[in-house]
PDB file of all heavy atoms in Angstrom:
ATOM      1  N   PHE A 222      32.615 -17.713 -38.587  1.00 82.00           N
ATOM      2  CA  PHE A 222      31.748 -17.835 -39.760  1.00 82.00           C
ATOM      3  C   PHE A 222      30.381 -17.195 -39.526  1.00 82.00           C
ATOM      4  O   PHE A 222      29.784 -16.649 -40.454  1.00 82.00           O
ATOM      5  CB  PHE A 222      31.595 -19.303 -40.149  1.00 82.00           C
ATOM      6  CG  PHE A 222      32.783 -19.840 -40.905  1.00 82.00           C
ATOM      7  CD1 PHE A 222      33.638 -20.757 -40.318  1.00 82.00           C
ATOM      8  CD2 PHE A 222      33.043 -19.423 -42.196  1.00 82.00           C
ATOM      9  CE1 PHE A 222      34.731 -21.250 -41.011  1.00 82.00           C
ATOM     10  CE2 PHE A 222      34.128 -19.909 -42.898  1.00 82.00           C
ATOM     11  CZ  PHE A 222      34.981 -20.824 -42.305  1.00 82.00           C
ATOM     12  N   ALA A 223      29.894 -17.266 -38.292  1.00 86.00           N
ATOM     13  CA  ALA A 223      28.603 -16.644 -37.999  1.00 86.00           C
ATOM     14  C   ALA A 223      28.691 -15.122 -38.129  1.00 86.00           C
ATOM     15  O   ALA A 223      27.815 -14.482 -38.733  1.00 86.00           O
ATOM     16  CB  ALA A 223      28.144 -17.025 -36.591  1.00 86.00           C
ATOM     17  N   VAL A 224      29.765 -14.533 -37.581  1.00 91.00           N
ATOM     18  CA  VAL A 224      29.952 -13.081 -37.685  1.00 91.00           C
ATOM     19  C   VAL A 224      30.201 -12.686 -39.138  1.00 91.00           C
ATOM     20  O   VAL A 224      29.666 -11.684 -39.624  1.00 91.00           O
ATOM     21  CB  VAL A 224      31.113 -12.610 -36.789  1.00 91.00           C
ATOM     22  CG1 VAL A 224      31.413 -11.129 -37.016  1.00 91.00           C
ATOM     23  CG2 VAL A 224      30.787 -12.855 -35.317  1.00 91.00           C
ATOM     24  N   TYR A 225      31.004 -13.484 -39.829  1.00 90.00           N
ATOM     25  CA  TYR A 225      31.317 -13.179 -41.225  1.00 90.00           C
ATOM     26  C   TYR A 225      30.054 -13.175 -42.089  1.00 90.00           C
ATOM     27  O   TYR A 225      29.798 -12.229 -42.842  1.00 90.00           O
ATOM     28  CB  TYR A 225      32.323 -14.181 -41.783  1.00 90.00           C
ATOM     29  CG  TYR A 225      32.671 -13.954 -43.237  1.00 90.00           C
ATOM     30  CD1 TYR A 225      33.571 -12.962 -43.607  1.00 90.00           C
ATOM     31  CD2 TYR A 225      32.081 -14.714 -44.252  1.00 90.00           C
ATOM     32  CE1 TYR A 225      33.892 -12.739 -44.939  1.00 90.00           C
ATOM     33  CE2 TYR A 225      32.387 -14.495 -45.580  1.00 90.00           C
ATOM     34  CZ  TYR A 225      33.295 -13.514 -45.913  1.00 90.00           C
ATOM     35  OH  TYR A 225      33.601 -13.288 -47.237  1.00 90.00           O
ATOM     36  N   SER A 226      29.255 -14.229 -41.967  1.00 87.00           N
ATOM     37  CA  SER A 226      28.042 -14.314 -42.776  1.00 87.00           C
ATOM     38  C   SER A 226      27.028 -13.248 -42.379  1.00 87.00           C
ATOM     39  O   SER A 226      26.362 -12.655 -43.234  1.00 87.00           O
ATOM     40  CB  SER A 226      27.410 -15.704 -42.647  1.00 87.00           C
ATOM     41  OG  SER A 226      27.038 -15.967 -41.314  1.00 87.00           O
ATOM     42  N   GLY A 227      26.933 -12.978 -41.068  1.00 91.00           N
ATOM     43  CA  GLY A 227      26.010 -11.953 -40.590  1.00 91.00           C
ATOM     44  C   GLY A 227      26.410 -10.564 -41.045  1.00 91.00           C
ATOM     45  O   GLY A 227      25.570  -9.771 -41.500  1.00 91.00           O
ATOM     46  N   ALA A 228      27.717 -10.257 -40.929  1.00 93.00           N
ATOM     47  CA  ALA A 228      28.202  -8.942 -41.363  1.00 93.00           C
ATOM     48  C   ALA A 228      28.041  -8.774 -42.870  1.00 93.00           C
ATOM     49  O   ALA A 228      27.655  -7.703 -43.353  1.00 93.00           O
ATOM     50  CB  ALA A 228      29.674  -8.779 -40.960  1.00 93.00           C
ATOM     51  N   LYS A 229      28.327  -9.847 -43.607  1.00 92.00           N
ATOM     52  CA  LYS A 229      28.199  -9.766 -45.066  1.00 92.00           C
ATOM     53  C   LYS A 229      26.750  -9.533 -45.475  1.00 92.00           C
ATOM     54  O   LYS A 229      26.476  -8.746 -46.396  1.00 92.00           O
ATOM     55  CB  LYS A 229      28.743 -11.048 -45.707  1.00 92.00           C
ATOM     56  CG  LYS A 229      28.814 -10.965 -47.221  1.00 92.00           C
ATOM     57  CD  LYS A 229      29.642 -12.096 -47.820  1.00 92.00           C
ATOM     58  CE  LYS A 229      28.922 -13.416 -47.737  1.00 92.00           C
ATOM     59  NZ  LYS A 229      29.612 -14.470 -48.545  1.00 92.00           N
ATOM     60  N   GLU A 230      25.831 -10.200 -44.786  1.00 91.00           N
ATOM     61  CA  GLU A 230      24.408 -10.022 -45.087  1.00 91.00           C
ATOM     62  C   GLU A 230      23.965  -8.581 -44.834  1.00 91.00           C
ATOM     63  O   GLU A 230      23.221  -7.994 -45.633  1.00 91.00           O
ATOM     64  CB  GLU A 230      23.594 -10.990 -44.230  1.00 91.00           C
ATOM     65  CG  GLU A 230      22.105 -10.964 -44.516  1.00 91.00           C
ATOM     66  CD  GLU A 230      21.327 -11.969 -43.680  1.00 91.00           C
ATOM     67  OE1 GLU A 230      21.945 -12.947 -43.208  1.00 91.00           O
ATOM     68  OE2 GLU A 230      20.115 -11.759 -43.488  1.00 91.00           O
ATOM     69  N   LYS A 231      24.419  -7.997 -43.728  1.00 93.00           N
ATOM     70  CA  LYS A 231      24.059  -6.608 -43.407  1.00 93.00           C
ATOM     71  C   LYS A 231      24.707  -5.625 -44.377  1.00 93.00           C
ATOM     72  O   LYS A 231      24.066  -4.682 -44.860  1.00 93.00           O
ATOM     73  CB  LYS A 231      24.494  -6.276 -41.981  1.00 93.00           C
ATOM     74  CG  LYS A 231      23.831  -7.111 -40.896  1.00 93.00           C
ATOM     75  CD  LYS A 231      22.346  -6.821 -40.779  1.00 93.00           C
ATOM     76  CE  LYS A 231      21.736  -7.598 -39.616  1.00 93.00           C
ATOM     77  NZ  LYS A 231      20.260  -7.399 -39.539  1.00 93.00           N
ATOM     78  N   LEU A 232      26.013  -5.842 -44.655  1.00 95.00           N
ATOM     79  CA  LEU A 232      26.745  -4.912 -45.514  1.00 95.00           C
ATOM     80  C   LEU A 232      26.250  -4.960 -46.962  1.00 95.00           C
ATOM     81  O   LEU A 232      26.345  -3.960 -47.679  1.00 95.00           O
ATOM     82  CB  LEU A 232      28.244  -5.213 -45.453  1.00 95.00           C
ATOM     83  CG  LEU A 232      28.934  -4.880 -44.124  1.00 95.00           C
ATOM     84  CD1 LEU A 232      30.343  -5.430 -44.098  1.00 95.00           C
ATOM     85  CD2 LEU A 232      28.947  -3.362 -43.904  1.00 95.00           C
ATOM     86  N   ASN A 233      25.745  -6.110 -47.373  1.00 93.00           N
ATOM     87  CA  ASN A 233      25.220  -6.222 -48.740  1.00 93.00           C
ATOM     88  C   ASN A 233      24.019  -5.311 -48.970  1.00 93.00           C
ATOM     89  O   ASN A 233      23.688  -4.976 -50.114  1.00 93.00           O
ATOM     90  CB  ASN A 233      24.818  -7.674 -49.039  1.00 93.00           C
ATOM     91  CG  ASN A 233      26.003  -8.527 -49.467  1.00 93.00           C
ATOM     92  OD1 ASN A 233      27.003  -8.016 -49.966  1.00 93.00           O
ATOM     93  ND2 ASN A 233      25.903  -9.824 -49.257  1.00 93.00           N
TER      94      ASN A 233
END
Side-chain angles (χ1 to χ4, degrees):
F222 281 110
V224 173
Y225 178 79
S226 61
K229 188 167 72 169
E230 184 178 338
K231 298 293 184 184
L232 290 170
N233 277 336

